[in-house]
Amino acid sequence: MIIQSLLFSLISFITGADSIGSAPTAELLFVGDAMQHQAQLDKARELAGGKGYDYSDCFTLIAPTVTEADYAVCNLEVPLGGGPDYTGYPCFSAPDSYAEALRDAGFDLMLTANNHCLDRRDKAARRTLTALDRIGVDHIGTYHDAAQRDTLLPFIRDINGFKVGFLNYTYGTNGIQPMDGVEVALIDKDKMAREMKLTREAGAEILVVAMHWGIEYVLLENGVQRQLADFLIDNGADLIIGGHPHVIQPMKVVRNEKEDKDVLVVYSLGNFISNMKTADTRGGALVRARLRRDPDGKAKFDSADYDTFFSAKPAGGKSNFKVIPSWMPEEIPTAQKAHWELFDRGAQKIFDTHNVDVPRRHNPEK
């Protein structure tokens, strides 16, 4: 106990905890699926005057909230195919400037294990990784080959003095199989358990597992998701963050009695930005998770809250698709306010009914 207290004092000195005993903290932020449909591509090209793709206005309103976090994560659900032809659904391919805009908005980590990662086959999957490396963004979930996966994992980042390990898995790739050795982290219990263990042994104090799972357009998690969440909790996960359904699903703080700790389970954060049209797909949620050290200096997940945002379509002229936080309703184009209200009321109903210990927190400035 004395050694732990001394270590905690040292950590406090290094990370800036004050002398009265306040613990160092870190805030992680997560959003859902960053899509790129054909209408988004067409508008970005139009705004760039046909020379490239302009996404400079898509994330300006949400960026201050993203950059406030100590580490921000999104699901990049498009390969960066390199052109010259870029396409939306069903086989996505987006320009590098899209990922650059997400980076500039404050995202530090992009998840690439999702059902669209092989839309343009192995070549584009590999090119995506090279492009993300070039623009200086962390990424996990897909790899040039199995050997690179073994080399790059465990993936651990020092976030305000907390050693945080990240893993990312997907249920599948829309039936497209790698033809040239690209490695996709698929949901496989044996591999997940092994990689979680390796990440812990490599020094991760907090373990975040991002899952691409569930049934599209269904607002509640299913039995398979719950069983997988239980499996991940049993194997030591601290945060479980889900995506894929393109709609929000509940968030819950679950007690891991075996390890005497709380675990955050987010079943789906919905869409971050897209051109989807049904009410439930017109936006998504962000979740903020705080890490803290207990009096003995042990890192733990402490608490979480959420808020929502709306994916607005262009309102004419020079406007682009834009992520609009729910605390800025004045920014929503008049013709789309009814769509926003339908989305937000539906999301609020799900969260009010099914969330466990994850409250809504509006931007404190509003």
Side-chain angles (χ1 to χ4, degrees):
M1 188 67 73
I2 294 174
I3 293 174
Q4 286 180 318
S5 297
L6 289 171
L7 286 173
F8 180 57
S9 298
L10 179 60
I11 290 167
S12 299
F13 174 77
I14 293 171
T15 58
D18 65 39
S19 57
I20 345 177
S22 64
T25 61
E27 183 175 270
L28 310 181
L29 180 143
F30 302 88
V31 302
D33 305 332
M35 311 297 295
Q36 192 64 190
H37 291 97
Q38 192 62 51
Q40 294 170 271
L41 289 163
D42 292 345
K43 189 63 180 180
R45 184 163 176 78
E46 174 193 324
L47 292 174
K51 298 178 181 179
Y53 293 78
D54 182 0
Y55 298 99
S56 58
D57 198 36
C58 293
F59 309 115
T60 53
L61 297 180
I62 197 76
T65 300
V66 176
T67 55
E68 280 174 5
D70 296 304
Y71 198 77
V73 182
C74 70
N75 172 45
L76 181 67
E77 196 149 356
V78 288
L80 304 175
D85 297 321
Y86 297 107
T87 53
Y89 181 83
C91 286
F92 292 103
S93 178
D96 294 359
S97 53
Y98 180 55
E100 290 169 355
L102 289 165
R103 176 204 61 191
D104 294 345
F107 289 102
D108 303 288
L109 173 64
M110 296 188 191
L111 309 172
T112 59
N114 55 63
N115 57 306
H116 287 289
C117 64
L118 293 181
D119 277 6
R120 287 294 188 94
R121 307 310 192 269
D122 293 45
K123 182 178 180 180
R126 287 196 176 101
R127 191 194 175 283
T128 301
L129 306 179
T130 302
L132 294 177
D133 286 338
R134 180 184 60 78
I135 68 172
V137 174
D138 289 344
H139 53 87
I140 55 169
T142 56
Y143 308 91
H144 286 275
D145 50 35
Q148 189 192 44
R149 179 177 180 173
D150 291 340
T151 300
L152 296 182
L153 295 180
F155 178 87
I156 300 173
R157 287 294 178 265
D158 186 322
I159 303 170
N160 275 13
F162 294 82
K163 300 293 186 183
V164 184
F166 294 86
L167 292 162
N168 175 211
Y169 303 96
T170 180
Y171 74 92
T173 54
N174 290 346
I176 303 172
Q177 299 300 316
M179 301 299 292
D180 190 28
V182 160
E183 178 76 2
V184 178
L186 297 173
I187 294 173
D188 176 308
K189 287 185 176 179
D190 289 339
K191 282 188 177 181
M192 291 192 297
R194 183 166 63 252
E195 290 180 344
M196 292 172 75
K197 183 173 184 289
L198 286 171
T199 304
R200 283 289 187 198
E201 291 173 346
E205 301 174 284
I206 297 292
L207 190 54
V208 180
V209 185
M211 300 291 286
H212 207 72
W213 60 2
I215 305 301
E216 290 183 330
Y217 317 120
V218 176
L219 289 162
L220 294 177
E221 78 278 8
N222 59 28
V224 173
Q225 287 169 279
R226 288 192 292 271
Q227 290 167 11
L228 280 169
D230 288 343
F231 170 82
L232 295 171
I233 292 168
D234 288 344
N235 281 273
D238 294 283
L239 286 78
I240 301 166
I241 308 295
H244 172 63
H246 301 302
V247 296
I248 59 90
Q249 291 180 344
M251 310 171 181
K252 303 178 181 182
V253 175
V254 179
R255 190 68 182 168
N256 180 338
E257 298 292 352
K258 183 176 68 174
E259 297 189 16
D260 189 29
K261 68 179 183 180
D262 287 335
V263 179
L264 175 64
V265 182
V266 177
Y267 284 106
S268 176
L269 287 167
N271 286 329
F272 181 53
I273 191 167
S274 80
N275 186 43
M276 290 189 173
K277 296 176 173 59
T278 59
D280 293 332
T281 65
R282 290 297 303 273
L286 61 85
V287 65
R288 289 167 283 218
R290 277 163 293 284
L291 310 180
R292 189 177 295 276
R293 294 189 183 278
D294 67 18
D296 295 325
K298 183 178 180 182
K300 66 176 184 177
F301 158 69
D302 182 66
S303 62
D305 56 58
Y306 79 91
D307 211 334
T308 62
F309 44 77
F310 182 68
S311 184
K313 300 182 190 300
K318 296 288 186 180
S319 68
N320 202 342
F321 288 81
K322 181 175 286 192
V323 177
I324 302 179
S326 64
W327 56 89
M328 296 182 181
E330 70 280 1
E331 297 287 348
I332 296 172
T334 302
Q336 298 180 51
K337 284 189 184 293
H339 297 283
W340 166 65
E341 290 170 356
L342 277 173
F343 161 75
D344 205 58
R345 280 201 304 265
Q348 188 70 63
K349 183 177 179 181
I350 290 293
F351 291 143
D352 285 349
T353 304
H354 298 282
N355 273 21
V356 177
D357 293 333
V358 185
R360 185 167 191 165
R361 176 169 72 95
H362 288 291
N363 189 310
E365 295 179 357
K366 296 291 178 180

